[in-house]
Amino acid sequence: MSNPAVTQLCKTVISGTNFWMDDNIGESIHVHIGDVRIDLTDIELNELCSVLCSTINKIVNVSGFDCHKINPVYLQDMLWRDLIHLTKVELDWVPLKKLICPYYGKFIELPKSRAVKALNGDQRQNDDTRRSHHIGQSSQERLDSIFNSIKRNNYPYQGEYIILYGNDYIIQDGQHRAACLWFLYGDIEVPVLRLFFDNYIDFDKRGFFKRSRYYYIFTNILSKFRRNRNILVIIISKLNSFFYNFIKKYRKHCYLKKHIKQHNELLDIISFK
Amino acid sequence: MKGAWCVYNYTSTMNMGEKIMDLYPINIGNSTLMIELNEGYSNEGRVIHIQNEKFRYLFTENDFFKASANILRANSELRYVRLSRSEKRKRLISENYVYNTSTPKLAIFNKFRQNNLQFLFLETVNNLTTILIRPGSYNEYRNTIIHDSNINLLHHPYGNMFGYRFLYQMYPFEIFETENNYVEVYFQLPCLSLTPKTWIPLDKIIQDRIWRFDNQTHIDDLSFLIYKITWAIFKNGCFNEDSVKVISRLIPSVDRNEFHYLLSLVFYGFTDDLVNYLYDSQYHKIIQDFFAFSNY
């Protein structure tokens, strides 16, 4: 029997090959590369992670860079693409009020950022779900856990710094920590890690278009087309899934309109079996 | 991936000029693999070999970073999920519903018997009766109900219509209304997976075992017990008062060794702890400890 207690931990495509990992409670942790599967115990996974961090450090070979102290969520979401271009790592001290939070192409000063607003009670700012959240974690839970961690352990904790690129003040990793620090201590100077890449241009030195929100939208659309160069295939598959979902929803709507009483009754009984 | 799998003689490439350096060894089971940094074949940049004497896997440098980042993220997610799931499932709740031991006498059940349709009663809750039909009798079942004017076919709230998937060739649930009662039909004992909205059948050994007893109208105690336990853990996320009563009543009547064996088909390494908790009536510990279980 396949283990019912399966949780998918990550999923991606690496050069056309599906790669994913899942946890099977009581059995093992599976690493899937295409049609091949490797089974790991909990201890083997921990050891593998430690070795991979050390390996990345050795390959990157930049003084001051330590993969053990990089947030794995940020590493998987963003940093891995640029590691090959990393040239220098510096520790710097910056005042919090100078920091800028990127949000889908917009650049917002830290005191006016969504996280700070949420900490001040505006819950509308905390209603989205992001790739950067843990499995099943809401925005509110994420912010709360970081806030409690900062109060308990202070900043930086376990050598994990807020990360900026080049000489910019745009936060690449650590928006929530910065927001919590601002909320707790106001405008103080904090240590941050600056990463310098040979393919990164500081924000001030970019042209007008590359500083605008439209550049962000443009590069997003371009990256989608790069994955599948056949534009017609993309359009047809989007239309297909749109109509399929529409018909499914319509059928469900018609059924519930006719049988809503029985459906609710059944739900009540079956839910508490 | 580029290069992908390759079974080759390690010694024949040792003297080729591609190798830059050995990085670190990794241990998987009894095997040790070396992560090795190499020059690429042409203009693809550096490549990483993960290899031993018999086996090699190749990554480009970027692909290696991507794969490693995903493994590190997966580890972080695993730690978080274990903590958050066990924290969220500390409850033991009680709900008001009536669990019946007697099954209603409906005309449709007589029709099933007349058509030699093999079925077993699972349970009756309020006016919902759940039956289990032998999978090979699916067509006879459909022929019986489709022509009956007293049957009002419905869509199961946990069926395809509402976004649930049924894996491993499992027949979806059926449900119909007749004589002011609902009849829910399973073709295999189901288990809700932790993968959202996904049903899978319990192990084939459990499924086959159900039908080996002759002249039975109800499912045997052991199979029903496994079903109730998996339902409580995976579907409800708690052991409510009535399921605790049912499980506590049935446990003394089953053979402990066979019970342990069948549970191990579902719960693997957690089975020992689970059996001990069940026999000690420590239901409040089961779900929390199951989701925090890491001894594997």
Side-chain angles (χ1 to χ4, degrees):
Chain A
M1 171 190 177
S2 173
N3 195 328
V6 176
T7 307
Q8 191 171 75
L9 300 172
C10 71
K11 185 178 180 180
T12 189
V13 178
I14 300 179
S15 291
T17 303
N18 289 328
F19 176 97
W20 74 100
M21 285 179 65
D22 44 56
D23 174 41
N24 301 259
I25 302 178
E27 192 192 342
S28 64
I29 295 133
H30 295 171
V31 180
H32 297 262
I33 309 173
D35 292 331
V36 179
R37 191 183 91 185
I38 303 167
D39 288 8
L40 300 174
T41 64
D42 196 62
I43 295 172
E44 283 173 346
L45 177 63
N46 276 329
E47 285 173 359
L48 176 64
C49 289
S50 177
V51 166
L52 288 175
C53 280
S54 305
T55 307
I56 290 173
N57 287 346
K58 217 167 179 181
I59 296 172
V60 168
N61 196 24
V62 168
S63 168
F65 176 79
D66 185 359
C67 191
H68 293 94
K69 294 175 183 167
I70 300 288
N71 182 352
V73 174
Y74 162 65
L75 178 69
Q76 185 253 359
D77 207 20
M78 287 174 63
L79 182 60
W80 70 268
R81 290 179 184 85
D82 300 316
L83 279 177
I84 213 164
H85 299 287
L86 187 66
T87 54
K88 192 170 69 163
V89 172
E90 263 179 18
L91 202 59
D92 195 8
W93 285 77
V94 300
L96 280 175
K97 71 173 179 201
K98 270 188 141 177
L99 292 175
I100 297 168
C101 302
Y103 181 69
Y104 293 110
K106 291 188 205 169
F107 299 99
I108 307 165
E109 290 166 7
L110 178 66
K112 297 176 191 167
S113 67
R114 287 166 59 92
V116 168
K117 285 181 185 172
L119 285 164
N120 283 317
D122 185 357
Q123 294 309 319
R124 290 170 306 167
Q125 307 296 331
N126 241 359
D127 57 3
D128 62 351
T129 53
R130 308 257 201 114
R131 270 197 327 249
S132 54
H133 294 159
H134 286 302
I135 297 168
Q137 188 185 42
S138 67
S139 292
Q140 187 62 52
E141 283 167 347
R142 181 170 164 79
L143 189 59
D144 287 345
S145 78
I146 291 173
F147 185 74
N148 292 333
S149 171
I150 296 232
K151 274 176 39 176
R152 196 169 48 242
N153 306 310
N154 218 336
Y155 167 86
Y157 178 55
Q158 292 184 335
E160 287 190 14
Y161 291 95
I162 292 168
I163 292 181
L164 313 180
Y165 284 2
N167 295 310
D168 288 344
Y169 290 91
I170 302 169
I171 301 175
Q172 303 295 337
D173 178 47
Q175 283 191 44
H176 288 85
R177 278 174 284 164
C180 293
L181 285 167
W182 174 269
F183 182 77
L184 285 169
Y185 305 115
D187 184 23
I188 58 169
E189 276 203 353
V190 294
V192 299
L193 206 63
R194 287 191 180 278
L195 305 183
F196 294 85
F197 302 93
D198 59 23
N199 65 342
Y200 183 78
I201 304 169
D202 287 347
F203 192 76
D204 294 338
K205 292 177 185 159
R206 293 183 203 171
F208 173 75
F209 177 60
K210 284 193 177 179
R211 274 185 278 162
S212 75
R213 189 176 185 199
Y214 300 105
Y215 178 68
Y216 169 83
I217 296 169
F218 172 73
T219 48
N220 255 336
I221 295 171
L222 197 65
S223 69
K224 283 193 173 81
F225 281 128
R226 271 200 193 121
R227 274 177 241 143
N228 187 345
R229 290 193 169 87
N230 193 336
I231 296 168
L232 200 59
V233 167
I234 297 174
I235 293 171
I236 290 173
S237 73
K238 292 274 182 210
L239 278 172
N240 188 43
S241 60
F242 170 76
F243 282 118
Y244 176 73
N245 289 332
F246 176 79
I247 291 166
K248 249 178 78 171
K249 277 186 182 157
Y250 180 71
R251 281 187 63 216
K252 192 168 133 184
H253 170 76
C254 293
Y255 169 76
L256 285 175
K257 211 172 161 184
K258 202 176 162 192
H259 298 107
I260 188 72
K261 187 185 154 210
Q262 291 105 317
H263 179 75
N264 287 337
E265 203 181 347
L266 279 169
L267 261 181
D268 282 338
I269 304 170
I270 295 173
S271 297
F272 300 116
K273 247 195 329 182
Chain B
M1 294 186 214
K2 291 178 188 171
W5 303 100
C6 173
V7 178
Y8 79 116
N9 187 338
Y10 177 69
T11 52
S12 71
T13 63
M14 267 178 75
N15 296 322
M16 294 177 73
E18 56 175 353
K19 180 171 168 177
I20 299 173
M21 60 171 156
D22 284 334
L23 293 168
Y24 285 95
I26 52 173
N27 297 313
I28 298 175
N30 295 327
S31 307
T32 301
L33 300 155
M34 178 58 76
I35 307 176
E36 190 184 276
L37 184 63
N38 293 267
E39 299 290 356
Y41 297 119
S42 53
N43 56 356
E44 63 193 336
R46 300 189 298 185
V47 295
I48 312 288
H49 293 171
I50 301 179
Q51 65 187 19
N52 61 13
E53 299 81 23
K54 295 286 186 189
F55 165 89
R56 186 186 84 186
Y57 200 96
L58 182 146
F59 285 100
T60 62
E61 197 173 347
N62 235 22
D63 283 350
F64 179 76
F65 287 146
K66 188 173 188 182
S68 303
N70 274 276
I71 292 172
L72 291 167
R73 170 96 189 241
N75 192 32
S76 157
E77 295 297 332
L78 180 61
R79 310 295 147 205
Y80 173 79
V81 146
R82 279 193 185 139
L83 193 62
S84 73
R85 275 207 179 129
S86 70
E87 283 292 313
K88 282 177 185 171
R89 287 172 199 248
K90 274 179 183 166
R91 59 202 177 109
L92 174 70
I93 61 169
S94 170
E95 302 292 342
N96 293 325
Y97 70 95
V98 178
Y99 185 84
N100 295 333
T101 50
S102 62
T103 48
K105 290 177 172 47
L106 302 175
I108 188 64
F109 297 140
N110 289 331
K111 246 190 172 172
F112 286 160
R113 291 186 193 101
Q114 282 163 14
N115 292 346
N116 291 323
L117 193 62
Q118 267 191 296
F119 72 98
L120 296 168
F121 291 104
L122 224 64
E123 58 182 343
T124 303
V125 175
N126 282 2
N127 58 341
L128 171 73
T129 301
T130 307
I131 64 172
L132 184 69
I133 291 182
R134 198 154 191 164
S137 309
Y138 179 76
N139 289 334
E140 286 91 336
Y141 159 77
R142 289 298 291 184
N143 290 337
T144 307
I145 62 162
I146 216 121
H147 299 298
D148 193 328
S149 55
N150 293 325
I151 301 283
N152 178 20
L153 275 172
L154 301 169
H155 284 285
H156 199 285
Y158 296 114
N160 291 128
M161 167 73 72
F162 297 95
Y164 285 82
R165 302 184 302 162
F166 295 84
L167 299 188
Y168 309 118
Q169 311 301 318
M170 185 179 177
Y171 284 109
F173 305 147
E174 303 251 341
I175 196 161
F176 56 85
E177 191 182 7
T178 182
E179 298 173 57
N180 293 323
N181 278 276
Y182 295 108
V183 179
E184 182 184 33
V185 180
Y186 295 159
F187 296 90
Q188 289 125 315
L189 279 186
C191 179
L192 187 66
S193 172
L194 288 187
T195 306
K197 290 198 160 189
T198 304
W199 292 98
I200 62 173
L202 288 174
D203 194 275
K204 194 168 184 310
I205 292 173
I206 300 172
Q207 305 291 351
D208 290 343
R209 193 189 166 281
I210 295 167
W211 302 102
R212 72 175 189 197
F213 303 102
D214 293 326
N215 301 322
Q216 56 182 3
T217 54
H218 288 72
I219 193 170
D220 66 285
D221 285 349
L222 183 49
S223 303
F224 185 60
L225 191 53
I226 306 280
Y227 162 73
K228 288 301 283 182
I229 291 167
T230 55
W231 189 273
I233 293 175
F234 291 107
K235 168 68 181 59
N236 291 345
C238 67
F239 285 86
N240 57 34
E241 267 192 28
D242 286 286
S243 64
V244 165
K245 274 186 210 161
V246 169
I247 293 170
S248 305
R249 179 173 56 82
L250 290 175
I251 277 185
S253 66
V254 301
D255 172 53
R256 184 165 178 154
N257 290 333
E258 195 180 7
F259 182 45
H260 187 283
Y261 168 67
L262 293 180
L263 276 181
S264 72
L265 299 171
V266 183
F267 295 99
Y268 298 87
F270 185 67
T271 308
D272 289 341
D273 291 348
L274 176 62
V275 168
N276 290 335
Y277 286 146
L278 288 168
Y279 275 85
D280 294 340
S281 301
Q282 291 180 314
Y283 296 96
H284 58 284
K285 280 191 179 178
I286 291 174
I287 292 185
Q288 188 182 344
D289 285 3
F290 177 60
F291 286 105
F293 187 64
S294 63
N295 191 13
Y296 59 94

